[in-house]
Amino acid sequence: MSITGPGTKLSGREFDVATVRADFPILSRKINDHPLVYLDNAATTQKPRQVIDAISNYYEQTNSNVHRGVHTLSIEATDAYEVARAKVAKFINAPRPETVIWTRNTSESLNLVAATWADKNVGEGDNIVITAMEHHSNIVPWQQLAARKHAELRYLAAGKDGLLDMANIESTIDSRTKIVSATHISNVLGTVNPVAELANRAHEVGAVILIDAAQSVPHMAVDVQAIDADFLCFSAHKMLGPTGIGVLYGKYDLLDEMPPFMFGGDMILEVTYEDAKWNELPYKFEAGTPNIADAIATGVAVDYLTDLEMDNVWEHEQQLTAYALDRLTALNGITIFGPEDPALRGGVISFVHDKIHPHDLGTALDQQGIAIRTGHHCAMPLIRSYDVVAAARASFYVYNTKTEIDALVSGINDTERYFVR
Ligand SMILES: Cc1ncc(COP(=O)(O)O)c(C=O)c1O
């Protein structure tokens, strides 16, 4: 098997992991006297110096409110904020920048669609289809909406192989389906779901599709037009950007007809004592002073990823995932969830040890500087469907190496020697 390491040639140009790592100050930290091995990237990623600098530069040089002032700082801040939006639009191939709405995160984007488009379009007797492998953020808003509207919430089942059961797609997504909301890549199983196929079926029955791309946009080239997404959302903090900012992409005509999500400054065109008229897109959905610094820094994160080239990012993670699957499968007592074939999954590996509780494993690994995630991964129904209440999860990104996977494996071995006698 070919392994990615410093200087390894990936598709396209050089992708030098050592050079990438040098951009991330936190990676030189020691945790419990060991070099940090950060394998919790599905939760949030680390930030390169360029993104950190963009935030401090903004506050040192440009800080001002946007869309309001005629003075130089306000004009510069507005320009930088809108340039960042245009970069995000280009990154996902959105046809126009105003179809990119800044939100706080994926959760807010999902809630926005549930509270506006779906609130307006879902009625009694209709159904909403999600999958059995959703994050709580893509379950709870739909449970609430279904209860409020007396609509049915349906789940497209997932098999024990970690794949969606597409054989039932026609009976699950039917003429009463108004919206299909599905994760592109599962944050637990790593499964890459066939979202274009889901979009196709949704459109056949006149429904819309919302894609939770929190775990895909950071890791692979995603083209909203190619998959024909009606809505798609993700968080900047999972793609080298800051916390507190996310994106909702929507088709222009859908966004244009939707009622606003929140009310206040900037989202209005005109206000009288009696009434108000809504602003044009994207501002209709951006009430109040937005997260200007972090939007600009998100643009810099997009530049960073664009420079690496997303096909290289994906290939790097594919190689790491294949290597990690090989090494973890060779250990005794480990059960890995999700598709066996690395080609069907992204860089997320959840597993359990038959003798060590995930929390014990996570704590013991932390003593060796290795950060993994343990728990239900905000997907309780899915985790429970595997008859466990918690799992350990290692997830990879652009700065991870094969050596770090070796450290994880030897960390598990060391923990085993301590716990299993
Ligand atoms: C698939 C998926 N959807 C939604 C979310 C929620 O993202 P956020 O917490 O940034 O809103 C996550 C976060 O882990 C996720 O992995």
Side-chain angles (χ1 to χ4, degrees), residues 42 105-107 135 137 183 185 187 212 214-215 235 237-238:
N105 46 39
T106 304
S107 303
H135 187 280
S137 296
T183 191
I185 296 186
N187 66 316
D212 174 351
Q215 299 294 347
S235 300
H237 70 92
K238 293 184 196 287

Side-chain angles (χ1 to χ4, degrees), residues 103-409:
T103 61
R104 277 191 305 145
N105 46 39
T106 304
S107 303
E108 186 172 284
S109 302
L110 293 164
N111 274 278
L112 190 162
V113 177
T116 59
W117 188 91
D119 191 75
K120 186 175 164 190
N121 290 288
V122 175
E124 190 167 348
D126 289 335
N127 68 67
I128 302 147
V129 176
I130 63 175
T131 82
M133 58 174 88
E134 299 306 320
H135 187 280
H136 296 157
S137 296
N138 200 25
I139 301 175
V140 185
W142 305 115
Q143 290 175 336
Q144 296 295 310
L145 182 90
R148 208 164 60 238
K149 295 286 177 175
H150 304 288
E152 184 191 352
L153 179 58
R154 292 183 176 175
Y155 291 86
L156 201 55
K160 283 286 172 274
D161 57 2
L163 301 176
L164 283 183
D165 182 3
M166 298 298 279
N168 287 331
I169 184 176
E170 292 196 2
S171 54
T172 311
I173 302 172
D174 65 13
S175 60
R176 293 305 301 266
T177 305
K178 288 288 184 241
I179 184 162
V180 176
S181 189
T183 191
H184 194 174
I185 296 186
S186 162
N187 66 316
V188 177
L189 306 173
T191 317
V192 184
N193 285 324
V195 285
E197 218 178 307
L198 291 174
N200 199 24
R201 176 61 188 162
H203 295 149
E204 259 173 21
V205 298
V208 298
I209 184 152
L210 163 58
I211 296 168
D212 174 351
Q215 299 294 347
S216 63
V217 163
H219 304 281
M220 69 200 303
V222 171
D223 179 333
V224 292
Q225 296 187 71
I227 54 184
D228 205 6
D230 296 299
F231 300 105
L232 180 137
C233 53
F234 51 96
S235 300
H237 70 92
K238 293 184 196 287
M239 51 186 288
L240 310 179
T243 51
I245 185 127
V247 167
L248 171 68
Y249 158 79
K251 283 183 179 162
Y252 188 94
D253 291 344
L254 292 172
L255 291 172
D256 198 39
E257 283 170 15
M258 277 154 59
F261 179 44
M262 297 207 290
F263 302 90
D266 261 6
M267 56 74 63
I268 47 77
L269 205 56
E270 191 188 348
V271 182
T272 64
Y273 279 120
E274 292 74 33
D275 206 0
K277 287 199 180 99
W278 314 138
N279 205 343
E280 60 191 11
L281 293 174
Y283 312 114
K284 181 171 80 174
F285 293 107
E286 293 180 3
T289 299
N291 188 349
I292 307 161
D294 292 327
I296 293 168
T298 300
V300 175
V302 163
D303 288 342
Y304 194 96
L305 289 170
T306 305
D307 192 45
L308 291 181
E309 296 179 26
M310 290 312 289
D311 287 348
N312 291 337
V313 170
W314 179 246
E315 194 170 331
H316 174 66
E317 290 179 31
Q318 287 270 286
Q319 293 187 20
L320 287 178
T321 307
Y323 181 70
L325 285 172
D326 266 5
R327 295 237 39 206
L328 289 169
T329 319
L331 297 177
N332 287 329
I334 298 272
T335 305
I336 296 172
F337 302 130
E340 268 176 35
D341 182 354
L344 299 176
R345 58 193 297 161
V348 173
I349 303 179
S350 295
F351 59 95
V352 287
H353 191 290
D354 62 358
K355 296 199 175 62
I356 311 171
H357 190 280
H359 289 159
D360 289 336
L361 182 60
T363 307
L365 290 174
D366 180 59
Q367 289 308 305
Q368 303 166 61
I370 303 165
I372 61 156
R373 189 71 159 190
T374 61
H376 52 61
H377 313 297
C378 295
M380 275 189 208
L382 176 67
I383 285 282
R384 285 178 182 162
S385 75
Y386 282 87
D387 288 331
V388 293
V389 287
R393 180 183 73 187
S395 50
F396 315 121
Y397 210 21
V398 289
Y399 34 71
N400 289 127
T401 63
K402 170 193 160 239
T403 314
E404 292 182 308
I405 291 164
D406 292 341
L408 170 69
V409 170

